[in-house]
Coordinates of all heavy atoms in Angstrom, one line a residue:
M1 N 12.9 -70.5 -17.1 CA 14.0 -69.7 -16.6 C 15.1 -69.6 -17.7 O 15.1 -70.4 -18.6 CB 14.6 -70.5 -15.4 CG 13.6 -70.6 -14.2 SD 13.1 -69.0 -13.6 CE 11.5 -68.9 -14.2
A2 N 16.0 -68.7 -17.5 CA 17.1 -68.5 -18.4 C 18.3 -68.2 -17.6 O 18.3 -67.7 -16.5 CB 16.8 -67.3 -19.4
A3 N 19.5 -68.5 -18.2 CA 20.8 -68.3 -17.5 C 21.9 -67.8 -18.5 O 21.8 -68.1 -19.7 CB 21.2 -69.5 -16.8
T4 N 22.9 -67.2 -17.9 CA 24.0 -66.7 -18.8 C 24.9 -67.9 -19.2 O 25.7 -67.7 -20.1 CB 24.8 -65.7 -18.0 OG1 25.2 -66.2 -16.8 CG2 24.0 -64.4 -17.8
D5 N 24.7 -69.0 -18.6 CA 25.6 -70.1 -18.9 C 24.9 -71.4 -18.6 O 23.8 -71.4 -17.9 CB 26.9 -70.0 -18.2 CG 28.1 -70.7 -18.9 OD1 27.8 -71.5 -19.9 OD2 29.2 -70.6 -18.5
D6 N 25.4 -72.5 -19.0 CA 24.8 -73.8 -18.5 C 25.9 -74.8 -18.2 O 27.1 -74.6 -18.5 CB 23.8 -74.4 -19.6 CG 24.4 -74.5 -20.9 OD1 25.7 -74.6 -21.1 OD2 23.6 -74.7 -21.9
A7 N 25.5 -75.9 -17.5 CA 26.5 -76.9 -17.1 C 25.8 -78.2 -17.1 O 24.5 -78.2 -17.0 CB 27.0 -76.6 -15.7
L8 N 26.5 -79.3 -17.2 CA 25.9 -80.6 -17.2 C 26.2 -81.3 -15.8 O 27.3 -81.2 -15.3 CB 26.5 -81.5 -18.3 CG 26.2 -81.1 -19.7 CD1 26.9 -82.1 -20.7 CD2 24.7 -81.1 -20.0
D9 N 25.2 -81.9 -15.2 CA 25.4 -82.6 -14.0 C 25.9 -84.0 -14.3 O 26.1 -84.3 -15.5 CB 24.2 -82.5 -13.1 CG 23.1 -83.5 -13.5 OD1 23.2 -84.1 -14.5 OD2 22.1 -83.5 -12.8
E10 N 26.1 -84.8 -13.3 CA 26.7 -86.1 -13.6 C 25.8 -87.0 -14.4 O 26.2 -88.0 -15.0 CB 27.1 -86.8 -12.2 CG 26.1 -86.9 -11.2 CD 26.0 -85.7 -10.3 OE1 26.4 -84.6 -10.7 OE2 25.4 -85.8 -9.2
D11 N 24.5 -86.7 -14.4 CA 23.6 -87.5 -15.3 C 23.4 -86.8 -16.7 O 22.4 -87.1 -17.4 CB 22.2 -87.6 -14.6 CG 22.3 -88.3 -13.3 OD1 23.1 -89.3 -13.2 OD2 21.6 -87.9 -12.3
L12 N 24.2 -85.9 -17.0 CA 24.2 -85.2 -18.2 C 22.9 -84.4 -18.4 O 22.4 -84.2 -19.5 CB 24.4 -86.1 -19.4 CG 25.8 -86.8 -19.4 CD1 25.9 -87.7 -20.6 CD2 26.9 -85.8 -19.3
V13 N 22.3 -84.0 -17.3 CA 21.2 -83.1 -17.4 C 21.7 -81.7 -17.4 O 22.6 -81.3 -16.7 CB 20.3 -83.3 -16.1 CG1 19.1 -82.2 -16.1 CG2 19.7 -84.7 -16.0
R14 N 21.1 -80.9 -18.4 CA 21.6 -79.5 -18.5 C 21.0 -78.7 -17.4 O 19.8 -78.7 -17.1 CB 21.1 -79.0 -19.9 CG 22.0 -77.9 -20.5 CD 21.6 -77.7 -21.9 NE 20.2 -77.3 -22.1 CZ 19.7 -76.1 -22.0 NH1 20.6 -75.1 -22.0 NH2 18.5 -75.8 -22.2
M15 N 21.9 -77.9 -16.7 CA 21.5 -77.1 -15.6 C 21.9 -75.7 -15.8 O 22.9 -75.4 -16.5 CB 22.2 -77.6 -14.3 CG 21.8 -79.0 -14.0 SD 22.8 -79.7 -12.6 CE 22.0 -78.8 -11.2
P16 N 21.2 -74.7 -15.3 CA 21.6 -73.3 -15.4 C 22.8 -73.0 -14.6 O 23.1 -73.6 -13.6 CB 20.4 -72.6 -14.8 CG 19.7 -73.5 -13.9 CD 19.9 -74.9 -14.5
A17 N 23.7 -72.1 -15.1 CA 24.9 -71.7 -14.5 C 25.1 -70.2 -14.7 O 24.4 -69.6 -15.5 CB 26.1 -72.5 -15.0
G18 N 26.0 -69.6 -13.9 CA 26.2 -68.2 -14.0 C 25.1 -67.4 -13.3 O 24.7 -67.7 -12.2
E19 N 24.6 -66.4 -14.0 CA 23.5 -65.6 -13.5 C 22.1 -66.1 -14.1 O 22.0 -66.2 -15.3 CB 23.7 -64.1 -13.8 CG 22.6 -63.3 -13.1 CD 22.8 -61.8 -13.4 OE1 23.2 -61.4 -14.5 OE2 22.6 -61.0 -12.5
V20 N 21.2 -66.3 -13.2 CA 19.9 -66.7 -13.7 C 18.9 -65.6 -13.8 O 18.9 -64.7 -13.0 CB 19.3 -67.9 -12.9 CG1 20.1 -69.2 -13.1 CG2 19.2 -67.5 -11.4
H21 N 18.0 -65.6 -14.8 CA 16.9 -64.7 -15.0 C 15.6 -65.4 -15.1 O 15.6 -66.6 -15.4 CB 17.2 -63.9 -16.3 CG 18.4 -63.0 -16.2 ND1 18.4 -61.7 -15.9 CD2 19.7 -63.3 -16.5 CE1 19.6 -61.2 -16.0 NE2 20.4 -62.2 -16.4
A22 N 14.6 -64.7 -14.8 CA 13.2 -65.3 -14.9 C 12.8 -65.1 -16.4 O 12.8 -64.0 -16.9 CB 12.2 -64.6 -14.0
W23 N 12.4 -66.2 -17.0 CA 11.9 -66.2 -18.4 C 10.8 -67.2 -18.5 O 10.9 -68.3 -17.9 CB 13.1 -66.6 -19.3 CG 12.6 -66.9 -20.7 CD1 12.2 -66.0 -21.7 CD2 12.4 -68.2 -21.2 NE1 11.8 -66.7 -22.8 CE2 11.9 -68.1 -22.6 CE3 12.6 -69.5 -20.7 CZ2 11.6 -69.2 -23.4 CZ3 12.3 -70.6 -21.6 CH2 11.8 -70.4 -22.9
Y24 N 9.8 -66.8 -19.2 CA 8.6 -67.7 -19.4 C 8.5 -68.1 -20.8 O 8.7 -67.3 -21.7 CB 7.3 -67.0 -18.9 CG 7.4 -66.6 -17.5 CD1 7.5 -65.3 -17.1 CD2 7.4 -67.6 -16.5 CE1 7.6 -65.0 -15.7 CE2 7.6 -67.3 -15.2 CZ 7.6 -66.0 -14.8 OH 7.7 -65.7 -13.5
R25 N 8.2 -69.4 -21.0 CA 8.1 -69.9 -22.3 C 7.2 -69.1 -23.3 O 6.2 -68.6 -22.8 CB 7.5 -71.3 -22.2 CG 7.6 -72.2 -23.4 CD 6.6 -73.3 -23.3 NE 7.0 -74.3 -22.3 CZ 7.6 -75.4 -22.5 NH1 8.0 -75.8 -23.7 NH2 7.9 -76.3 -21.5
G26 N 7.7 -68.9 -24.5 CA 6.9 -68.1 -25.4 C 7.3 -66.6 -25.5 O 6.8 -65.9 -26.3
Q27 N 8.1 -66.2 -24.5 CA 8.5 -64.8 -24.5 C 9.9 -64.7 -25.0 O 10.7 -65.6 -24.9 CB 8.4 -64.2 -23.1 CG 7.0 -64.3 -22.6 CD 6.8 -63.6 -21.3 OE1 7.7 -63.1 -20.6 NE2 5.5 -63.4 -21.0
N28 N 10.2 -63.6 -25.7 CA 11.6 -63.5 -26.2 C 12.5 -62.6 -25.4 O 13.6 -62.2 -25.8 CB 11.6 -63.0 -27.7 CG 10.8 -61.7 -27.8 OD1 10.6 -61.0 -26.9 ND2 10.3 -61.4 -29.0
G29 N 12.0 -62.3 -24.1 CA 12.9 -61.6 -23.2 C 12.6 -62.0 -21.8 O 11.7 -62.8 -21.5
T30 N 13.5 -61.6 -20.9 CA 13.3 -62.0 -19.5 C 12.4 -61.0 -18.8 O 12.1 -59.9 -19.3 CB 14.7 -62.0 -18.8 OG1 15.2 -60.7 -18.8 CG2 15.7 -62.9 -19.5
V31 N 12.1 -61.3 -17.5 CA 11.2 -60.4 -16.7 C 11.9 -59.1 -16.6 O 11.2 -58.0 -16.6 CB 10.9 -61.1 -15.3 CG1 10.4 -60.1 -14.4 CG2 10.0 -62.3 -15.5
C32 N 13.2 -59.0 -16.5 CA 13.9 -57.7 -16.3 C 14.2 -57.0 -17.6 O 14.7 -55.9 -17.6 CB 15.2 -57.9 -15.6 SG 16.4 -58.9 -16.5
G33 N 13.7 -57.6 -18.7 CA 13.8 -56.9 -20.0 C 15.0 -57.2 -20.9 O 15.2 -56.6 -21.9
L34 N 15.8 -58.2 -20.5 CA 16.9 -58.6 -21.4 C 16.3 -59.4 -22.6 O 15.4 -60.2 -22.5 CB 17.9 -59.5 -20.7 CG 18.7 -58.9 -19.6 CD1 19.6 -59.9 -19.0 CD2 19.6 -57.8 -20.2
S35 N 17.0 -59.2 -23.7 CA 16.7 -60.0 -24.9 C 17.4 -61.3 -24.8 O 18.6 -61.3 -24.6 CB 17.1 -59.2 -26.2 OG 17.3 -60.1 -27.2
L36 N 16.7 -62.4 -25.0 CA 17.4 -63.7 -24.9 C 18.5 -63.8 -26.0 O 19.5 -64.3 -25.7 CB 16.4 -64.8 -25.2 CG 15.2 -65.1 -24.2 CD1 14.4 -66.2 -24.7 CD2 15.8 -65.4 -22.9
H37 N 18.1 -63.3 -27.2 CA 19.1 -63.4 -28.3 C 20.3 -62.5 -28.1 O 21.4 -63.0 -28.1 CB 18.4 -63.1 -29.6 CG 19.2 -63.1 -30.7 ND1 19.7 -64.3 -31.3 CD2 19.8 -62.1 -31.5 CE1 20.5 -64.0 -32.3 NE2 20.5 -62.7 -32.5
R38 N 20.0 -61.3 -27.8 CA 21.2 -60.3 -27.7 C 22.0 -60.6 -26.4 O 23.2 -60.5 -26.5 CB 20.6 -58.9 -27.6 CG 21.0 -58.1 -28.8 CD 20.6 -56.7 -28.7 NE 19.2 -56.6 -28.2 CZ 18.7 -55.5 -27.6 NH1 19.4 -54.5 -27.4 NH2 17.4 -55.5 -27.2
S39 N 21.4 -61.1 -25.4 CA 22.2 -61.4 -24.2 C 22.8 -62.9 -24.2 O 23.4 -63.3 -23.3 CB 21.4 -61.2 -22.9 OG 20.9 -59.9 -22.9
R40 N 22.4 -63.6 -25.3 CA 22.9 -65.0 -25.4 C 22.6 -65.8 -24.2 O 23.4 -66.6 -23.7 CB 24.4 -65.0 -25.7 CG 24.7 -64.2 -26.9 CD 26.1 -64.3 -27.3 NE 26.4 -63.5 -28.5 CZ 27.3 -63.7 -29.3 NH1 28.2 -64.7 -29.2 NH2 27.5 -62.9 -30.4
L41 N 21.3 -65.7 -23.8 CA 20.9 -66.5 -22.6 C 20.5 -67.9 -23.0 O 19.9 -68.1 -24.1 CB 19.7 -65.8 -21.9 CG 20.1 -64.4 -21.3 CD1 18.8 -63.8 -20.8 CD2 21.1 -64.6 -20.2
R42 N 20.8 -68.9 -22.2 CA 20.3 -70.2 -22.4 C 19.0 -70.3 -21.7 O 18.8 -69.8 -20.6 CB 21.3 -71.2 -21.7 CG 22.5 -71.6 -22.5 CD 23.5 -70.5 -22.4 NE 24.9 -71.0 -22.7 CZ 25.9 -70.3 -22.9 NH1 25.9 -69.0 -22.8 NH2 27.1 -70.8 -23.1
T43 N 18.1 -71.0 -22.3 CA 16.7 -71.1 -21.7 C 16.5 -72.5 -21.1 O 17.0 -73.5 -21.6 CB 15.6 -70.8 -22.7 OG1 15.8 -71.6 -23.8 CG2 15.8 -69.3 -23.1
F44 N 15.7 -72.6 -20.1 CA 15.4 -73.8 -19.4 C 13.9 -73.9 -19.1 O 13.4 -73.5 -18.1 CB 16.1 -73.9 -18.0 CG 17.6 -73.8 -18.2 CD1 18.3 -72.6 -18.3 CD2 18.4 -75.0 -18.3 CE1 19.6 -72.5 -18.5 CE2 19.7 -74.9 -18.5 CZ 20.4 -73.7 -18.6
P45 N 13.1 -74.2 -20.2 CA 11.7 -74.1 -20.1 C 11.1 -75.0 -19.0 O 10.0 -74.7 -18.5 CB 11.2 -74.6 -21.5 CG 12.4 -74.6 -22.4 CD 13.6 -74.7 -21.5
G46 N 11.7 -76.1 -18.6 CA 11.2 -77.0 -17.6 C 11.3 -76.5 -16.2 O 10.8 -77.2 -15.3
L47 N 12.1 -75.5 -16.0 CA 12.4 -75.1 -14.6 C 11.5 -73.9 -14.2 O 11.1 -73.1 -15.0 CB 13.9 -74.6 -14.5 CG 14.9 -75.7 -14.8 CD1 16.3 -75.1 -14.5 CD2 14.6 -77.0 -14.1
V48 N 11.3 -73.9 -12.9 CA 10.5 -72.8 -12.3 C 11.5 -72.0 -11.4 O 12.6 -72.4 -11.1 CB 9.3 -73.2 -11.5 CG1 8.3 -73.9 -12.4 CG2 9.7 -74.1 -10.3
W49 N 11.0 -70.8 -10.9 CA 11.9 -69.9 -10.2 C 12.5 -70.6 -8.9 O 13.7 -70.5 -8.7 CB 11.0 -68.7 -9.7 CG 11.8 -67.7 -9.0 CD1 11.6 -67.3 -7.7 CD2 12.7 -66.7 -9.5 NE1 12.4 -66.3 -7.4 CE2 13.1 -65.9 -8.5 CE3 13.3 -66.6 -10.8 CZ2 14.1 -64.9 -8.6 CZ3 14.3 -65.6 -10.9 CH2 14.6 -64.8 -9.9
A50 N 11.7 -71.4 -8.2 CA 12.2 -72.1 -7.0 C 13.4 -73.1 -7.3 O 14.2 -73.3 -6.5 CB 11.1 -72.8 -6.3
D51 N 13.4 -73.6 -8.5 CA 14.4 -74.6 -8.9 C 15.8 -74.0 -8.9 O 16.8 -74.7 -8.8 CB 14.1 -75.2 -10.2 CG 12.9 -76.1 -10.2 OD1 12.6 -76.7 -9.2 OD2 12.3 -76.2 -11.3
V52 N 15.9 -72.7 -9.2 CA 17.2 -72.1 -9.5 C 17.7 -71.2 -8.4 O 18.6 -70.4 -8.6 CB 17.1 -71.3 -10.9 CG1 16.8 -72.3 -12.0 CG2 16.1 -70.2 -10.8
Q53 N 17.0 -71.3 -7.2 CA 17.5 -70.5 -6.1 C 18.6 -71.1 -5.4 O 18.5 -72.3 -4.9 CB 16.3 -70.2 -5.1 CG 15.2 -69.5 -5.7 CD 15.6 -68.2 -6.5 OE1 16.2 -67.3 -5.9 NE2 15.3 -68.2 -7.8
P54 N 19.8 -70.5 -5.3 CA 20.9 -71.2 -4.7 C 20.7 -71.7 -3.3 O 21.2 -72.7 -2.8 CB 22.0 -70.1 -4.7 CG 21.7 -69.2 -5.8 CD 20.2 -69.2 -5.9
A55 N 19.8 -71.0 -2.5 CA 19.5 -71.4 -1.2 C 18.7 -72.7 -1.1 O 18.8 -73.4 -0.2 CB 18.8 -70.3 -0.4
S56 N 17.8 -72.9 -2.0 CA 16.8 -74.0 -1.9 C 16.6 -74.8 -3.1 O 16.0 -75.8 -3.1 CB 15.5 -73.4 -1.4 OG 15.1 -72.4 -2.4
G57 N 17.0 -74.3 -4.3 CA 16.6 -74.9 -5.5 C 17.4 -76.2 -5.8 O 18.5 -76.3 -5.6
G58 N 16.6 -77.1 -6.5 CA 17.2 -78.4 -6.8 C 18.1 -78.3 -8.0 O 18.9 -79.3 -8.3
M59 N 18.0 -77.3 -8.8 CA 18.8 -77.2 -10.0 C 19.8 -76.0 -10.0 O 20.2 -75.5 -11.0 CB 17.9 -77.0 -11.2 CG 16.9 -78.2 -11.5 SD 17.8 -79.7 -12.0 CE 18.0 -79.2 -13.8
A60 N 20.2 -75.6 -8.8 CA 20.9 -74.4 -8.6 C 22.4 -74.6 -8.3 O 23.1 -73.7 -7.9 CB 20.3 -73.5 -7.6
D61 N 22.9 -75.8 -8.5 CA 24.3 -76.1 -8.0 C 25.3 -75.2 -8.7 O 26.3 -74.9 -8.2 CB 24.6 -77.6 -8.3 CG 24.0 -78.5 -7.4 OD1 23.3 -78.1 -6.5 OD2 24.1 -79.8 -7.6
H62 N 25.0 -74.8 -9.9 CA 26.0 -74.0 -10.7 C 25.6 -72.5 -10.8 O 26.2 -71.8 -11.5 CB 26.2 -74.6 -12.1 CG 26.6 -76.0 -12.0 ND1 28.0 -76.4 -11.9 CD2 25.9 -77.2 -12.1 CE1 28.1 -77.7 -11.8 NE2 26.9 -78.2 -12.0
V63 N 24.5 -72.2 -10.1 CA 24.1 -70.8 -10.2 C 24.9 -69.9 -9.3 O 25.2 -70.2 -8.1 CB 22.6 -70.7 -9.8 CG1 22.2 -69.2 -9.6 CG2 21.7 -71.4 -10.7
Q64 N 25.5 -68.9 -9.9 CA 26.3 -68.0 -9.1 C 25.6 -66.7 -8.6 O 25.9 -66.1 -7.6 CB 27.5 -67.5 -9.9 CG 28.7 -68.5 -9.7 CD 29.3 -68.9 -11.1 OE1 29.3 -68.1 -12.0 NE2 29.8 -70.1 -11.1
A65 N 24.6 -66.3 -9.4 CA 23.9 -65.1 -9.0 C 22.4 -65.2 -9.5 O 22.2 -65.9 -10.5 CB 24.6 -63.9 -9.6
V66 N 21.6 -64.5 -8.9 CA 20.2 -64.4 -9.3 C 19.9 -62.9 -9.6 O 20.2 -62.1 -8.8 CB 19.2 -64.9 -8.2 CG1 17.8 -64.7 -8.6 CG2 19.5 -66.4 -7.9
C67 N 19.4 -62.7 -10.8 CA 19.1 -61.3 -11.2 C 18.2 -60.6 -10.2 O 17.0 -61.1 -10.0 CB 18.5 -61.3 -12.6 SG 17.9 -59.7 -13.1
P68 N 18.6 -59.5 -9.6 CA 17.7 -58.9 -8.6 C 16.4 -58.3 -9.2 O 15.4 -58.2 -8.5 CB 18.6 -57.8 -8.0 CG 19.7 -57.6 -9.0 CD 19.9 -58.9 -9.7
R69 N 16.5 -57.9 -10.4 CA 15.3 -57.3 -11.0 C 14.3 -58.4 -11.4 O 13.1 -58.2 -11.3 CB 15.7 -56.5 -12.3 CG 16.3 -55.1 -11.8 CD 16.6 -54.2 -13.0 NE 17.6 -54.8 -13.9 CZ 17.7 -54.5 -15.2 NH1 17.0 -53.5 -15.7 NH2 18.7 -55.0 -15.9
C70 N 14.8 -59.5 -11.8 CA 13.9 -60.6 -12.0 C 13.3 -61.1 -10.7 O 12.1 -61.4 -10.6 CB 14.6 -61.8 -12.7 SG 14.9 -61.5 -14.5
R71 N 14.1 -61.1 -9.7 CA 13.6 -61.5 -8.4 C 12.4 -60.6 -7.9 O 11.4 -61.1 -7.5 CB 14.7 -61.5 -7.3 CG 14.2 -61.9 -5.9 CD 15.3 -61.6 -4.9 NE 16.5 -62.5 -5.1 CZ 16.5 -63.8 -4.7 NH1 15.5 -64.4 -4.2 NH2 17.6 -64.4 -4.9
A72 N 12.7 -59.4 -8.1 CA 11.6 -58.4 -7.7 C 10.3 -58.7 -8.5 O 9.2 -58.6 -8.0 CB 12.1 -57.0 -7.9
G73 N 10.5 -58.9 -9.8 CA 9.4 -59.1 -10.7 C 8.6 -60.4 -10.3 O 7.4 -60.4 -10.2
V74 N 9.4 -61.5 -10.1 CA 8.7 -62.8 -9.8 C 8.2 -62.8 -8.4 O 7.0 -63.2 -8.2 CB 9.8 -63.9 -10.0 CG1 9.2 -65.2 -9.5 CG2 10.2 -64.0 -11.4
E75 N 8.9 -62.4 -7.4 CA 8.5 -62.5 -6.0 C 7.4 -61.5 -5.7 O 6.5 -61.8 -4.9 CB 9.7 -62.5 -5.1 CG 10.6 -63.7 -5.4 CD 11.8 -63.9 -4.5 OE1 12.0 -63.0 -3.7 OE2 12.5 -64.9 -4.6
G76 N 7.5 -60.4 -6.3 CA 6.4 -59.4 -6.2 C 5.1 -60.0 -6.6 O 4.0 -59.9 -6.0
R77 N 5.1 -60.7 -7.8 CA 3.9 -61.2 -8.4 C 3.5 -62.4 -7.5 O 2.3 -62.6 -7.3 CB 4.3 -61.7 -9.8 CG 3.1 -62.2 -10.6 CD 3.5 -62.8 -11.9 NE 4.2 -61.8 -12.7 CZ 4.8 -62.1 -13.9 NH1 4.9 -63.4 -14.2 NH2 5.4 -61.2 -14.6
T78 N 4.4 -63.2 -7.0 CA 4.0 -64.4 -6.2 C 3.3 -64.0 -5.0 O 2.3 -64.7 -4.6 CB 5.3 -65.2 -5.8 OG1 6.1 -65.4 -7.0 CG2 5.0 -66.5 -5.2
S79 N 3.7 -62.9 -4.4 CA 3.0 -62.6 -3.1 C 1.6 -62.1 -3.3 O 0.8 -62.2 -2.4 CB 3.8 -61.5 -2.4 OG 3.9 -60.3 -3.1
K80 N 1.3 -61.6 -4.5 CA 0.0 -61.2 -4.8 C -0.9 -62.3 -5.1 O -2.1 -62.4 -4.8 CB 0.0 -60.2 -6.0 CG 0.2 -58.7 -5.5 CD 0.2 -57.8 -6.7 CE 1.4 -56.9 -6.7 NZ 2.0 -56.7 -8.0
R81 N -0.3 -63.3 -5.8 CA -1.2 -64.4 -6.4 C -0.3 -65.6 -6.4 O 0.9 -65.6 -6.7 CB -1.5 -64.0 -7.8 CG -3.0 -64.1 -8.0 CD -3.3 -63.9 -9.5 NE -3.9 -65.1 -10.0 CZ -4.6 -65.1 -11.2 NH1 -4.6 -64.0 -11.9 NH2 -5.1 -66.2 -11.7
R82 N -0.9 -66.8 -6.1 CA -0.1 -68.0 -6.1 C 0.2 -68.5 -7.5 O 1.3 -68.9 -7.7 CB -0.9 -69.1 -5.3 CG -0.8 -68.8 -3.8 CD -1.5 -69.9 -3.0 NE -0.7 -71.2 -3.1 CZ 0.3 -71.5 -2.4 NH1 0.7 -70.7 -1.4 NH2 1.0 -72.6 -2.5
G83 N -0.7 -68.5 -8.3 CA -0.5 -69.1 -9.7 C 0.3 -68.1 -10.5 O -0.3 -67.5 -11.4
W84 N 1.6 -68.0 -10.3 CA 2.3 -67.0 -11.0 C 2.9 -67.4 -12.3 O 3.4 -66.6 -13.0 CB 3.5 -66.5 -10.1 CG 4.4 -67.6 -9.6 CD1 4.3 -68.3 -8.5 CD2 5.6 -68.0 -10.3 NE1 5.3 -69.2 -8.4 CE2 6.1 -69.1 -9.5 CE3 6.2 -67.7 -11.5 CZ2 7.3 -69.7 -9.9 CZ3 7.3 -68.4 -11.9 CH2 7.9 -69.4 -11.1
T85 N 2.7 -68.6 -12.8 CA 3.1 -69.0 -14.1 C 2.0 -68.6 -15.1 O 1.2 -69.4 -15.5 CB 3.4 -70.5 -14.2 OG1 2.3 -71.2 -13.6 CG2 4.6 -70.9 -13.5
R86 N 2.0 -67.3 -15.4 CA 1.0 -66.8 -16.3 C 1.3 -67.2 -17.7 O 2.4 -66.8 -18.2 CB 0.9 -65.3 -16.2 CG -0.4 -64.7 -16.5 CD -0.4 -63.2 -16.0 NE 0.8 -62.5 -16.2 CZ 0.9 -61.3 -16.5 NH1 -0.2 -60.6 -16.7 NH2 2.1 -60.7 -16.7
E87 N 0.5 -68.0 -18.3 CA 0.9 -68.6 -19.6 C 0.9 -67.6 -20.8 O 1.9 -67.4 -21.4 CB 0.0 -69.8 -20.0 CG 0.4 -71.0 -19.3 CD 1.8 -71.5 -19.7 OE1 2.0 -71.6 -20.9 OE2 2.6 -71.8 -18.8
S88 N -0.2 -66.9 -21.0 CA -0.2 -66.0 -22.1 C -0.8 -64.7 -21.6 O -2.0 -64.5 -21.5 CB -1.0 -66.5 -23.3 OG -2.2 -67.1 -22.8
P89 N 0.1 -63.7 -21.3 CA -0.4 -62.4 -20.9 C -1.3 -61.8 -22.0 O -1.1 -62.0 -23.2 CB 0.8 -61.6 -20.7 CG 2.0 -62.5 -20.9 CD 1.5 -63.8 -21.5
R90 N -2.3 -61.0 -21.6 CA -3.2 -60.4 -22.6 C -2.4 -59.3 -23.3 O -1.5 -58.7 -22.8 CB -4.3 -59.7 -21.9 CG -5.3 -60.7 -21.3 CD -6.3 -60.0 -20.4 NE -6.9 -60.9 -19.5 CZ -7.9 -61.7 -19.9 NH1 -8.4 -61.7 -21.1 NH2 -8.4 -62.6 -19.0
P91 N -2.7 -59.2 -24.6 CA -1.9 -58.2 -25.4 C -2.2 -56.8 -24.9 O -3.3 -56.5 -24.4 CB -2.5 -58.4 -26.8 CG -3.7 -59.2 -26.7 CD -3.7 -59.9 -25.4
Ligands
ZN101 ZN1 16.9 -60.6 -15.0

């Protein structure tokens, strides 16, 4: 996952803050097409989509918004197939 900002919780664990986007390790952009570098996104390789949902996620205390285009990309894929963490898409 990636976010526009980050914050530390009381155990000094880095958590996503601001707006979160879906990002998979090894890619240089988010599901909605933002460049990590140009948009200065912070990345959180250990988190999955469910962790950063304000309604239910365990790491979402500081999340203010979820990117709607990433949501469409992730949740559309999830409904088709359960194993949505596709490690290395075919070229
Ligand atoms: Zn996004």
Side-chain angles (χ1 to χ4, degrees):
M1 297 298 108
T4 53
D5 206 350
D6 57 17
L8 295 177
D9 75 359
E10 53 275 18
D11 300 320
L12 300 182
V13 176
R14 208 168 57 92
M15 300 171 77
E19 184 178 38
V20 290
H21 295 267
W23 165 79
Y24 300 111
R25 192 198 292 261
Q27 301 191 344
N28 54 22
T30 63
V31 166
C32 66
L34 287 179
S35 156
L36 293 180
H37 178 70
R38 247 184 312 159
S39 301
R40 302 184 182 205
L41 296 173
R42 279 78 158 170
T43 56
F44 300 86
L47 300 188
V48 298
W49 184 248
D51 292 332
V52 299
Q53 300 309 302
S56 57
M59 296 292 281
D61 287 357
H62 301 279
V63 173
Q64 270 133 31
V66 176
C67 171
R69 286 187 294 162
C70 285
R71 177 189 296 283
V74 170
E75 295 183 355
R77 188 185 298 169
T78 307
S79 63
K80 275 180 225 138
R81 233 185 118 165
R82 286 184 66 85
W84 56 268
T85 47
R86 204 164 43 144
E87 279 297 310
S88 47
R90 290 170 201 282

